[in-house]
Amino acid sequence: MPFIGLPDQDASPAVWETRAEEVKKAFLHAYHGYESYAAPFDELMPVSNSKVSKYFNGWGVTAVDSLDTMLLMGLEDEYKRALSIVNIANFTRSTTIPLPYFETIIRYLGGLLSAYALSGDRTLIDRADELATKLEIVFNEDTGLPYFGLNPSSNKIHGSNIGSLAEIASLQLEYYYLAKVTGKKSHFKHAHDVMQALYTANLTLTGGMHPIEWNITSGKPHNTQLSVGARADSAHEYLLKHYLMTSKEDKSSLEMYIRASTHVITDLLFLTPNRQLLYVTDTISSTYDDYGDPSHVFEHLSCFLPGLLALGAHTLPLDNLESVGIDFHSLVGGDQYGFASQNHERLSKWNLKQLHMWAAEGLAQTCWLTYADQPTGLGPDEMLMHRQSKPVWDPRIKDWVHRDIALHWLDAMEGWKKSSSRGPPPGVGNKKPAVTSVWDKPNDRVRKREYFFRKPSYLLRPETVESLYILWRITGDHKWRTRGWEIFKAIQRETITPTGFASLKTVEMTPAPKIDSMPSYFLAETLKYLYLMFKEEDLVPLDEYVFNTEAHPLPIFRWTEEERALFFQT
């Protein structure tokens, strides 16, 4: 077991700066390998030292995705060389047919806009504007929702009429900021149309939370399956972040975030029987009008959620929504949101800020433990969690509070002077990794961990370190930072190759067998969040920037009166 305790939570600032430099060296190792063997193709294959442009258009996605990481790390030479790749990218041709619209927005457009925000280089805006304009045909003329993709050479749209939530609703940050810096109403309108479709949708069957599948031609939900994982994750993320990016002026996005987070807390959070691991899952529905049962699958992709909940608790007046013009009762009432009002009643007597932080800390704890439980120190991509008879988290929280009240009165009657004996709520608080060994039978390891591997691979993903970073910045508790350092050491130990870093086939054996893949998000997100976590200086203050779903920081701004007159006029 590579991780034993948290021995250096009190490491000095100088030690943390040294660790940030170690992350910078890792980035340089990965990027120089990409430059030597893959540029200007999309991604490096770090085991065979080959290149690939099969999935992300052939415009040098690793270079564009990494621009802002280079700027934050002060890597001027690498940044200048990467700009040459940006300049030669031909947005009228793609090696990927259909060109995936969602991935193009979050990686390419987000990368260009963030690099502009950090550098002020207007050529980046020109390229971003050119790219967004080229992609405009992807939007349905009636609903404003985007199809899956297109052929940029023939201008032919690709994709069915059924789209996933993440792919149709993860463009607001990029398009609103692009409208801000270009003054073009067309960019604003594309984001605004998507937001209006989400805001006016009938969510009766899903309790006010947006489901996974949508009909692009009607603009309506197509099923009732709910998730914060694959095919849905970034859409929920962008609700809160759009509200924050526009200086907390767009109440509709805040309302949608409150409804979604309320539903997640009341219906999608569960505990394992013995370790009391708090996790979030999705629902499975076979028909449109079937709400569905929880699957108890826990995805690495869902580990962004604790960071999002913590960010919301940090930035929103959750216990005084009236101060921002929101009546929570009317927010969840009426025919549009079904049983959302029941969910509100379940939480109405709580301190919501505290409840959201408990959820954030409990989920982050589990995300970290799925790393620390493994011989590699790295987390699997998907797990099936052990369940108990009444696993919903919210009722267990109530039991915990009721027990505390009883103990409080017992203390008073006995005249005890000691304080209440309440500990943290179920799923919250420090927990130890599951102690397993190579001598354990597979079933014994599963029993100790309380989850099966559905996908044992580690794909260099950023979601867990993203949440650790945000919790560190918000709480100042060094345990989150220290856990990030343990994860980085495991990345160095298990995934490094002579030219980069490779995904792993399984996290359950060490040394782990490698996959010949180094996704661009490893440089854009995973290493960036680790670097920012270890730096003493807060390079991207959370009250000045929001991160898009590819970890590209975009500045918080306010619309001018001229922009309001141009963009918001009917």
Side-chain angles (χ1 to χ4, degrees):
M1 181 65 59
F3 183 89
I4 304 296
L6 296 173
D8 62 348
Q9 291 192 64
D10 298 322
S12 68
V15 169
W16 285 112
E17 285 293 334
T18 299
R19 291 172 177 177
E21 288 301 309
E22 289 298 311
V23 178
K24 182 189 292 189
K25 291 177 183 176
F27 176 89
L28 287 171
H29 174 70
Y31 192 74
H32 288 166
Y34 165 75
E35 284 188 307
S36 297
Y37 293 97
F41 286 73
D42 280 337
E43 292 178 334
L44 169 70
M45 300 173 69
V47 177
S48 62
N49 295 339
S50 303
K51 51 185 175 284
V52 61
S53 282
K54 184 178 180 181
Y55 305 107
F56 302 111
N57 311 341
W59 302 335
V61 69
T62 295
V64 181
D65 227 0
S66 301
L67 289 172
D68 53 8
T69 309
M70 299 174 199
L71 289 167
L72 290 168
M73 291 181 174
L75 302 175
E76 295 182 4
D77 291 340
E78 286 73 16
Y79 175 74
K80 290 177 181 177
R81 294 196 298 270
L83 285 180
S84 65
I85 297 176
V86 172
N87 292 332
I88 65 172
N90 183 353
F91 298 148
T92 66
R93 299 179 63 185
S94 174
T95 58
T96 310
I97 302 297
L99 177 158
Y101 174 76
F102 165 72
E103 297 289 355
T104 302
I105 293 303
I106 65 172
R107 299 187 192 221
Y108 284 105
L109 187 60
L112 292 169
L113 293 173
S114 181
Y116 164 73
L118 297 175
S119 70
D121 184 350
R122 291 292 305 187
T123 61
L124 295 167
I125 290 300
D126 293 339
R127 295 253 65 189
D129 184 29
E130 178 187 351
L131 174 59
T133 301
K134 181 62 183 175
L135 300 175
E136 283 188 335
I137 63 168
V138 81
F139 294 97
N140 180 280
E141 293 182 358
D142 296 323
T143 65
L145 300 183
Y147 288 92
F148 173 81
L150 68 152
N151 183 329
S153 299
S154 65
N155 288 333
K156 180 181 178 180
I157 295 172
H158 287 254
S160 74
N161 289 331
I162 306 304
S164 67
L165 180 63
E167 292 177 346
I168 68 170
S170 302
L171 58 93
Q172 304 93 298
L173 301 186
E174 295 85 357
Y175 274 71
Y176 278 126
Y177 183 59
L178 183 60
K180 176 72 175 177
V181 295
T182 63
K184 291 189 175 182
K185 185 174 181 177
S186 60
H187 300 318
F188 174 89
K189 185 179 184 302
H190 290 312
H192 189 67
D193 287 348
V194 169
M195 292 298 291
Q196 285 299 108
L198 295 177
Y199 188 62
T200 58
N202 188 315
L203 305 176
T204 302
L205 298 175
T206 56
M209 185 173 175
H210 297 95
I212 287 180
E213 291 187 354
W214 288 69
N215 188 307
I216 293 172
T217 58
S218 71
K220 297 178 180 180
H222 180 69
N223 72 357
T224 57
Q225 185 178 1
L226 300 176
S227 176
V228 295
R231 303 177 64 212
D233 44 8
S234 51
H236 303 303
E237 176 186 1
Y238 275 32
L239 296 177
L240 172 63
K241 291 183 175 180
H242 171 235
Y243 177 70
L244 298 178
M245 189 179 76
T246 54
S247 297
K248 302 181 180 179
E249 291 186 348
D250 186 271
K251 287 200 301 182
S252 63
S253 56
L254 175 59
E255 291 174 8
M256 289 187 281
Y257 172 74
I258 295 297
R259 282 194 293 268
S261 58
T262 297
H263 190 91
V264 168
I265 289 174
T266 56
D267 284 71
L268 298 181
L269 296 187
F270 298 85
L271 290 163
T272 60
N274 299 314
R275 296 179 76 189
Q276 298 282 277
L277 301 179
L278 183 65
Y279 64 95
V280 62
T281 193
D282 59 357
T283 62
I284 303 171
S285 57
S286 56
T287 61
Y288 173 72
D289 57 357
D290 173 25
Y291 172 67
D293 296 321
S295 71
H296 297 284
V297 171
F298 181 40
E299 303 174 57
H300 191 289
L301 287 170
S302 299
C303 281
F304 84 96
L305 182 63
L308 184 69
L309 291 173
L311 181 64
H314 178 65
T315 56
L316 303 177
L318 291 174
D319 295 293
N320 185 21
L321 290 171
E322 294 80 3
S323 66
V324 291
I326 291 181
D327 177 354
F328 198 88
H329 289 280
S330 63
L331 175 67
V332 297
D335 297 331
Q336 188 176 356
Y337 309 118
F339 53 91
S341 58
Q342 299 172 29
N343 290 343
H344 164 59
E345 288 301 319
R346 291 166 64 181
L347 301 186
S348 61
K349 298 178 181 179
W350 289 93
N351 178 315
L352 287 180
K353 177 183 176 70
Q354 181 67 76
L355 189 63
H356 281 230
M357 280 303 298
W358 279 339
E361 293 178 4
L363 288 168
Q365 175 88 229
T366 301
C367 291
W368 166 72
L369 284 171
T370 65
Y371 279 65
D373 286 348
Q374 316 313 330
T376 56
L378 297 170
D381 207 49
E382 279 189 18
M383 296 145 282
L384 180 62
M385 309 299 286
H386 286 191
R387 67 190 74 179
Q388 51 188 344
S389 58
K390 294 183 178 180
V392 180
W393 185 57
D394 176 47
R396 293 295 302 275
I397 288 286
K398 290 180 178 177
D399 292 344
W400 171 78
V401 171
H402 292 160
R403 184 174 68 249
D404 179 58
I405 292 173
L407 288 169
H408 172 77
W409 283 106
L410 179 63
D411 288 353
M413 287 187 292
E414 296 293 333
W416 295 350
K417 296 182 180 179
K418 65 182 181 179
S419 62
S420 172
S421 57
R422 179 178 69 178
V428 183
N430 294 329
K431 300 177 186 296
K432 295 180 180 179
V435 178
T436 63
S437 74
V438 295
W439 308 111
D440 285 337
K441 296 179 180 179
N443 287 343
D444 289 336
R445 288 197 291 270
V446 169
R447 177 181 54 80
K448 291 177 180 179
R449 291 190 303 249
E450 290 197 308
Y451 51 83
F452 298 89
F453 291 152
R454 274 171 52 99
K455 295 181 180 178
S457 53
Y458 171 69
L459 304 180
L460 298 171
R461 290 198 191 276
E463 289 79 17
T464 293
V465 295
E466 171 186 358
S467 286
L468 298 182
Y469 161 68
I470 293 174
L471 279 162
W472 149 244
R473 284 298 178 192
I474 287 174
T475 69
D477 190 335
H478 280 272
K479 73 180 181 184
W480 306 113
R481 206 181 195 188
T482 300
R483 290 166 181 175
W485 174 242
E486 294 298 328
I487 290 172
F488 176 69
K489 288 195 296 184
I491 290 172
Q492 288 276 57
R493 180 178 62 249
E494 298 289 341
T495 74
I496 197 166
T497 75
T499 57
F501 296 85
S503 300
L504 305 179
K505 293 180 181 179
T506 178
V507 297
E508 204 169 19
M509 65 175 65
T510 182
K514 294 180 172 61
I515 302 171
D516 200 7
S517 171
M518 186 178 75
S520 71
Y521 60 67
F522 177 65
L523 292 88
E525 301 186 72
T526 308
L527 292 180
K528 180 187 293 160
Y529 281 128
L530 287 166
Y531 180 76
L532 294 175
M533 196 184 326
F534 303 154
K535 286 290 292 182
E536 284 296 295
E537 180 184 358
D538 190 358
L539 297 176
V540 187
L542 297 177
D543 60 350
E544 297 179 18
Y545 293 87
V546 295
F547 290 92
N548 90 332
T549 196
E550 192 77 2
H552 295 308
L554 300 172
I556 291 171
F557 64 82
R558 190 179 296 275
W559 298 115
T560 67
E561 291 304 316
E562 293 78 8
E563 288 166 344
R564 292 179 193 279
L566 174 63
F567 295 150
F568 291 91
Q569 64 184 358
T570 57

Coordinates of all heavy atoms in Angstrom, one line a residue, residues 117-182:
A117 N -7.3 35.5 -22.4 CA -7.6 36.1 -21.1 C -6.3 36.3 -20.3 O -6.2 37.3 -19.5 CB -8.6 35.3 -20.3
L118 N -5.4 35.3 -20.4 CA -4.2 35.4 -19.6 C -3.1 36.2 -20.3 O -2.1 36.7 -19.6 CB -3.7 34.0 -19.3 CG -4.6 33.1 -18.4 CD1 -4.0 31.7 -18.3 CD2 -4.7 33.8 -17.0
S119 N -3.1 36.3 -21.6 CA -2.0 37.0 -22.4 C -2.4 38.3 -23.0 O -1.5 39.1 -23.3 CB -1.5 36.0 -23.5 OG -2.5 35.9 -24.5
G120 N -3.7 38.4 -23.4 CA -4.1 39.7 -24.1 C -3.8 39.6 -25.6 O -3.9 40.7 -26.2
D121 N -3.4 38.5 -26.1 CA -3.0 38.4 -27.5 C -4.3 38.3 -28.4 O -5.0 37.3 -28.4 CB -2.1 37.1 -27.7 CG -1.6 37.0 -29.1 OD1 -2.1 37.8 -30.0 OD2 -0.8 36.1 -29.4
R122 N -4.6 39.4 -29.1 CA -5.8 39.4 -29.9 C -5.8 38.4 -31.1 O -6.9 38.1 -31.6 CB -6.0 40.8 -30.5 CG -6.3 41.9 -29.5 CD -7.7 41.8 -28.9 NE -8.8 41.7 -29.8 CZ -10.0 41.7 -29.4 NH1 -10.4 41.8 -28.1 NH2 -11.0 41.6 -30.3
T123 N -4.7 37.9 -31.5 CA -4.7 36.9 -32.5 C -5.4 35.6 -32.1 O -6.0 34.9 -32.9 CB -3.3 36.5 -33.0 OG1 -2.5 36.0 -31.9 CG2 -2.5 37.7 -33.5
L124 N -5.4 35.4 -30.8 CA -6.1 34.2 -30.3 C -7.6 34.4 -30.4 O -8.4 33.5 -30.6 CB -5.7 34.0 -28.8 CG -4.3 33.6 -28.6 CD1 -3.9 33.7 -27.1 CD2 -4.0 32.2 -29.1
I125 N -8.1 35.7 -30.2 CA -9.5 36.0 -30.3 C -9.9 35.8 -31.8 O -11.0 35.3 -32.1 CB -9.8 37.4 -29.8 CG1 -9.7 37.4 -28.3 CG2 -11.2 37.8 -30.2 CD1 -10.7 36.4 -27.6
D126 N -9.1 36.3 -32.7 CA -9.4 36.2 -34.1 C -9.6 34.7 -34.5 O -10.5 34.4 -35.2 CB -8.3 36.8 -34.9 CG -8.2 38.3 -34.8 OD1 -9.2 38.9 -34.3 OD2 -7.1 38.9 -35.1
R127 N -8.7 33.8 -34.0 CA -8.8 32.4 -34.3 C -10.1 31.8 -33.6 O -10.8 31.0 -34.2 CB -7.6 31.7 -33.8 CG -6.3 32.0 -34.6 CD -5.9 30.9 -35.6 NE -6.8 30.7 -36.7 CZ -6.6 29.7 -37.5 NH1 -5.7 28.8 -37.3 NH2 -7.5 29.5 -38.5
A128 N -10.3 32.2 -32.4 CA -11.5 31.8 -31.7 C -12.8 32.2 -32.4 O -13.7 31.4 -32.6 CB -11.5 32.3 -30.2
D129 N -12.8 33.4 -32.9 CA -14.0 33.9 -33.6 C -14.2 33.1 -34.9 O -15.3 32.8 -35.3 CB -13.8 35.4 -33.8 CG -15.0 36.0 -34.5 OD1 -16.1 35.5 -34.3 OD2 -14.8 37.0 -35.3
E130 N -13.1 32.9 -35.6 CA -13.1 32.1 -36.8 C -13.6 30.7 -36.6 O -14.5 30.2 -37.4 CB -11.7 32.1 -37.4 CG -11.6 31.3 -38.7 CD -10.1 31.1 -39.2 OE1 -9.2 31.7 -38.6 OE2 -9.9 30.3 -40.1
L131 N -13.2 30.1 -35.5 CA -13.6 28.7 -35.2 C -15.1 28.7 -34.9 O -15.9 27.9 -35.4 CB -12.8 28.2 -34.1 CG -13.2 26.8 -33.5 CD1 -13.2 25.7 -34.6 CD2 -12.3 26.4 -32.3
A132 N -15.6 29.6 -34.0 CA -17.0 29.6 -33.6 C -17.9 29.9 -34.8 O -19.0 29.3 -34.9 CB -17.2 30.6 -32.5
T133 N -17.4 30.8 -35.7 CA -18.2 31.1 -36.8 C -18.3 29.9 -37.8 O -19.4 29.6 -38.3 CB -17.6 32.3 -37.6 OG1 -17.6 33.4 -36.7 CG2 -18.4 32.6 -38.8
K134 N -17.3 29.1 -37.9 CA -17.3 28.0 -38.8 C -18.2 26.9 -38.2 O -18.8 26.1 -39.0 CB -15.8 27.4 -38.9 CG -15.7 26.1 -39.8 CD -16.1 26.5 -41.2 CE -16.1 25.3 -42.1 NZ -16.6 25.5 -43.5
L135 N -18.4 26.8 -36.9 CA -19.2 25.8 -36.3 C -20.7 26.2 -36.2 O -21.5 25.3 -35.8 CB -18.7 25.5 -34.9 CG -17.3 25.0 -34.8 CD1 -16.9 24.9 -33.3 CD2 -17.1 23.7 -35.5
E136 N -21.1 27.3 -36.7 CA -22.5 27.8 -36.5 C -23.5 26.9 -37.1 O -24.7 26.9 -36.6 CB -22.6 29.2 -37.0 CG -22.0 30.3 -36.1 CD -22.3 31.7 -36.5 OE1 -22.6 31.9 -37.7 OE2 -22.3 32.6 -35.6
I137 N -23.2 26.2 -38.1 CA -24.2 25.4 -38.8 C -24.7 24.2 -37.9 O -25.8 23.6 -38.2 CB -23.7 24.8 -40.1 CG1 -22.5 23.9 -39.9 CG2 -23.4 25.9 -41.1 CD1 -22.2 23.0 -41.1
V138 N -24.0 23.9 -36.8 CA -24.4 22.8 -36.0 C -25.6 23.0 -35.2 O -26.2 22.1 -34.7 CB -23.2 22.5 -35.1 CG1 -23.2 23.4 -33.8 CG2 -23.2 21.0 -34.6
F139 N -26.1 24.3 -35.1 CA -27.3 24.6 -34.2 C -28.6 24.4 -35.0 O -28.7 24.9 -36.1 CB -27.2 26.0 -33.7 CG -26.0 26.3 -32.8 CD1 -24.8 26.8 -33.3 CD2 -26.1 26.0 -31.4 CE1 -23.8 27.0 -32.4 CE2 -25.1 26.2 -30.6 CZ -23.9 26.7 -31.1
N140 N -29.5 23.7 -34.4 CA -30.9 23.6 -34.9 C -31.5 24.9 -35.0 O -31.5 25.7 -34.0 CB -31.7 22.6 -34.1 CG -33.1 22.4 -34.6 OD1 -34.0 23.2 -34.4 ND2 -33.3 21.3 -35.3
E141 N -32.1 25.3 -36.2 CA -32.6 26.6 -36.4 C -33.8 26.9 -35.5 O -34.1 28.0 -35.1 CB -33.0 26.8 -37.8 CG -31.8 26.8 -38.8 CD -32.3 27.0 -40.2 OE1 -33.5 27.1 -40.5 OE2 -31.4 27.1 -41.1
D142 N -34.6 25.9 -35.1 CA -35.8 26.1 -34.3 C -35.6 26.1 -32.8 O -36.1 27.0 -32.1 CB -36.9 25.0 -34.6 CG -37.3 25.0 -36.1 OD1 -37.5 26.1 -36.6 OD2 -37.5 24.0 -36.7
T143 N -34.8 25.2 -32.3 CA -34.6 25.1 -30.9 C -33.3 25.8 -30.4 O -33.1 26.1 -29.2 CB -34.5 23.7 -30.4 OG1 -33.4 23.0 -31.0 CG2 -35.8 22.9 -30.9
G144 N -32.3 25.9 -31.3 CA -31.0 26.5 -30.9 C -30.1 25.5 -30.3 O -28.9 25.8 -29.9
L145 N -30.5 24.2 -30.2 CA -29.6 23.2 -29.6 C -28.7 22.6 -30.6 O -29.1 22.5 -31.8 CB -30.5 22.0 -29.0 CG -31.5 22.4 -27.9 CD1 -32.2 21.2 -27.4 CD2 -30.8 23.2 -26.8
P146 N -27.4 22.3 -30.3 CA -26.5 21.8 -31.2 C -26.5 20.3 -31.5 O -26.8 19.6 -30.6 CB -25.1 22.2 -30.6 CG -25.4 22.1 -29.1 CD -26.8 22.6 -29.0
Y147 N -26.3 19.9 -32.7 CA -26.2 18.5 -33.0 C -24.8 18.0 -32.6 O -23.9 18.8 -32.2 CB -26.4 18.3 -34.5 CG -27.8 18.4 -35.0 CD1 -28.3 19.7 -35.4 CD2 -28.7 17.4 -34.9 CE1 -29.6 19.8 -35.8 CE2 -30.0 17.5 -35.3 CZ -30.5 18.7 -35.7 OH -31.8 18.9 -36.1
F148 N -24.6 16.7 -32.7 CA -23.3 16.1 -32.3 C -22.1 16.7 -33.0 O -21.1 17.0 -32.4 CB -23.3 14.6 -32.5 CG -22.0 14.0 -32.2 CD1 -21.6 13.7 -30.9 CD2 -21.1 13.7 -33.2 CE1 -20.4 13.1 -30.6 CE2 -19.9 13.1 -33.0 CZ -19.5 12.8 -31.7
G149 N -22.2 16.9 -34.3 CA -21.0 17.4 -35.0 C -21.3 17.7 -36.5 O -22.4 17.9 -36.9
L150 N -20.2 17.9 -37.2 CA -20.3 18.4 -38.6 C -19.1 18.0 -39.4 O -18.1 17.6 -38.8 CB -20.5 19.9 -38.6 CG -19.3 20.7 -38.2 CD1 -19.3 22.1 -38.9 CD2 -19.3 20.9 -36.7
N151 N -19.2 18.1 -40.7 CA -18.1 18.0 -41.6 C -17.8 19.4 -42.0 O -18.5 20.0 -42.8 CB -18.5 17.1 -42.8 CG -17.3 17.0 -43.8 OD1 -16.4 17.8 -43.9 ND2 -17.3 15.8 -44.5
P152 N -16.6 20.0 -41.6 CA -16.4 21.4 -41.9 C -16.0 21.6 -43.4 O -16.1 22.8 -43.8 CB -15.2 21.7 -41.0 CG -14.5 20.4 -40.8 CD -15.6 19.4 -40.7
S153 N -15.7 20.6 -44.1 CA -15.4 20.8 -45.5 C -16.7 20.9 -46.3 O -16.8 21.7 -47.2 CB -14.6 19.6 -46.1 OG -13.3 19.5 -45.4
S154 N -17.7 20.0 -46.0 CA -18.9 20.0 -46.8 C -20.0 20.8 -46.1 O -21.1 21.0 -46.7 CB -19.4 18.6 -47.0 OG -19.7 18.0 -45.7
N155 N -19.8 21.3 -44.9 CA -20.8 22.0 -44.1 C -22.1 21.1 -43.9 O -23.2 21.6 -43.8 CB -21.2 23.3 -44.7 CG -20.1 24.3 -44.5 OD1 -19.3 24.3 -43.6 ND2 -20.1 25.3 -45.5
K156 N -21.9 19.8 -43.7 CA -22.9 18.9 -43.5 C -23.0 18.6 -42.0 O -22.0 18.3 -41.4 CB -22.7 17.6 -44.3 CG -23.9 16.6 -44.1 CD -23.6 15.3 -44.9 CE -24.7 14.3 -44.6 NZ -24.5 13.0 -45.4
I157 N -24.2 18.6 -41.4 CA -24.4 18.3 -40.0 C -24.5 16.8 -39.8 O -25.0 16.1 -40.6 CB -25.7 18.9 -39.5 CG1 -25.6 20.5 -39.6 CG2 -26.0 18.5 -38.1 CD1 -26.9 21.2 -39.3
H158 N -23.9 16.3 -38.7 CA -23.9 14.9 -38.4 C -24.5 14.7 -37.0 O -24.4 15.5 -36.1 CB -22.5 14.3 -38.4 CG -21.9 14.1 -39.8 ND1 -21.8 12.9 -40.4 CD2 -21.4 15.0 -40.6 CE1 -21.2 13.1 -41.6 NE2 -21.0 14.4 -41.7
G159 N -25.2 13.6 -36.8 CA -25.8 13.3 -35.5 C -27.3 13.1 -35.6 O -27.9 13.6 -36.5
S160 N -27.8 12.3 -34.6 CA -29.2 12.0 -34.6 C -29.9 13.2 -34.0 O -29.3 14.2 -33.5 CB -29.5 10.7 -33.8 OG -29.3 11.0 -32.4
N161 N -31.2 13.1 -33.9 CA -32.0 14.1 -33.3 C -32.0 14.0 -31.8 O -32.6 14.9 -31.1 CB -33.5 14.0 -33.8 CG -33.6 14.5 -35.2 OD1 -32.8 15.3 -35.7 ND2 -34.6 13.9 -35.9
I162 N -31.4 13.0 -31.2 CA -31.3 12.8 -29.8 C -29.9 13.1 -29.3 O -29.0 12.5 -29.8 CB -31.7 11.4 -29.4 CG1 -33.1 11.0 -29.9 CG2 -31.7 11.3 -27.8 CD1 -34.2 12.0 -29.5
G163 N -29.7 14.1 -28.5 CA -28.4 14.5 -28.0 C -28.3 14.3 -26.5 O -29.3 14.3 -25.8
S164 N -27.1 14.3 -26.0 CA -26.9 14.1 -24.6 C -26.7 15.5 -23.9 O -26.3 16.5 -24.6 CB -25.6 13.3 -24.3 OG -24.4 14.0 -24.7
L165 N -27.1 15.6 -22.7 CA -27.2 16.9 -22.0 C -25.8 17.6 -22.0 O -25.8 18.8 -22.2 CB -27.6 16.6 -20.5 CG -27.7 17.8 -19.6 CD1 -28.8 18.8 -20.1 CD2 -28.0 17.4 -18.2
A166 N -24.7 16.9 -21.7 CA -23.4 17.5 -21.7 C -23.1 18.1 -23.0 O -22.5 19.2 -23.1 CB -22.4 16.5 -21.2
E167 N -23.4 17.4 -24.1 CA -23.0 17.9 -25.4 C -23.8 19.1 -25.9 O -23.4 19.8 -26.8 CB -23.0 16.7 -26.4 CG -22.0 15.7 -26.1 CD -22.0 14.5 -27.0 OE1 -23.1 14.3 -27.7 OE2 -21.1 13.7 -27.0
I168 N -25.1 19.2 -25.5 CA -25.9 20.3 -25.9 C -25.8 21.5 -25.0 O -26.2 22.6 -25.4 CB -27.4 19.9 -26.1 CG1 -28.0 19.6 -24.7 CG2 -27.5 18.7 -27.0 CD1 -29.5 19.4 -24.8
A169 N -25.3 21.3 -23.8 CA -25.5 22.4 -22.8 C -24.1 22.7 -22.1 O -24.1 23.0 -20.9 CB -26.5 22.1 -21.8
S170 N -23.0 22.6 -22.8 CA -21.7 22.9 -22.2 C -21.0 23.9 -23.1 O -19.8 23.6 -23.6 CB -20.9 21.7 -22.0 OG -21.6 20.8 -21.2
L171 N -21.6 25.0 -23.5 CA -21.0 26.0 -24.3 C -21.2 27.4 -23.8 O -20.6 28.4 -24.4 CB -21.6 25.9 -25.8 CG -23.1 26.0 -25.9 CD1 -23.5 27.4 -26.2 CD2 -23.6 25.1 -27.0
Q172 N -22.0 27.6 -22.8 CA -22.4 28.9 -22.3 C -21.1 29.8 -21.9 O -21.0 31.0 -22.3 CB -23.3 28.9 -21.2 CG -24.6 28.1 -21.4 CD -24.5 26.6 -21.0 OE1 -23.6 25.9 -21.5 NE2 -25.3 26.2 -20.1
L173 N -20.2 29.2 -21.2 CA -19.1 30.0 -20.7 C -18.3 30.5 -21.9 O -17.9 31.7 -21.9 CB -18.2 29.1 -19.8 CG -18.8 28.5 -18.5 CD1 -17.8 27.8 -17.7 CD2 -19.6 29.6 -17.7
E174 N -18.0 29.6 -22.8 CA -17.2 29.9 -24.0 C -17.9 31.0 -24.9 O -17.2 32.0 -25.3 CB -16.8 28.7 -24.8 CG -16.0 27.7 -24.0 CD -16.7 26.7 -23.1 OE1 -18.0 26.9 -23.0 OE2 -16.1 25.8 -22.6
Y175 N -19.1 30.8 -25.1 CA -19.8 31.6 -26.1 C -20.2 33.0 -25.5 O -20.1 34.0 -26.2 CB -21.1 31.0 -26.6 CG -20.8 30.1 -27.8 CD1 -20.1 28.9 -27.7 CD2 -21.2 30.4 -29.1 CE1 -19.9 28.1 -28.8 CE2 -21.0 29.7 -30.2 CZ -20.3 28.5 -30.0 OH -20.0 27.7 -31.1
Y176 N -20.5 33.0 -24.2 CA -20.8 34.3 -23.6 C -19.5 35.2 -23.5 O -19.5 36.4 -23.8 CB -21.4 34.2 -22.2 CG -22.9 33.9 -22.2 CD1 -23.4 32.8 -21.6 CD2 -23.8 34.8 -22.9 CE1 -24.8 32.5 -21.6 CE2 -25.1 34.5 -22.9 CZ -25.6 33.4 -22.3 OH -27.0 33.2 -22.3
Y177 N -18.4 34.5 -23.1 CA -17.1 35.3 -23.1 C -16.7 35.7 -24.5 O -16.2 36.8 -24.6 CB -16.1 34.4 -22.4 CG -14.8 35.2 -22.2 CD1 -14.7 36.4 -21.5 CD2 -13.6 34.7 -22.8 CE1 -13.5 37.1 -21.4 CE2 -12.4 35.4 -22.7 CZ -12.4 36.6 -21.9 OH -11.2 37.3 -21.8
L178 N -16.9 34.8 -25.5 CA -16.5 35.2 -26.8 C -17.4 36.4 -27.3 O -16.9 37.3 -28.0 CB -16.7 34.0 -27.8 CG -16.3 34.2 -29.2 CD1 -14.9 34.6 -29.4 CD2 -16.6 33.0 -30.1
A179 N -18.7 36.4 -27.0 CA -19.5 37.6 -27.3 C -19.0 38.8 -26.6 O -19.0 39.9 -27.2 CB -20.9 37.3 -26.9
K180 N -18.6 38.7 -25.3 CA -18.0 39.8 -24.6 C -16.8 40.4 -25.3 O -16.7 41.7 -25.4 CB -17.7 39.4 -23.2 CG -17.0 40.4 -22.3 CD -18.0 41.5 -21.9 CE -17.4 42.5 -20.9 NZ -18.3 43.5 -20.5
V181 N -15.9 39.6 -25.7 CA -14.6 40.2 -26.3 C -14.7 40.5 -27.8 O -13.8 41.2 -28.3 CB -13.5 39.2 -26.0 CG1 -13.2 39.0 -24.5 CG2 -13.7 37.8 -26.6
T182 N -15.7 40.0 -28.5 CA -15.9 40.3 -29.9 C -17.0 41.3 -30.2 O -17.0 41.9 -31.2 CB -16.1 39.1 -30.7 OG1 -17.4 38.5 -30.3 CG2 -15.0 38.0 -30.6

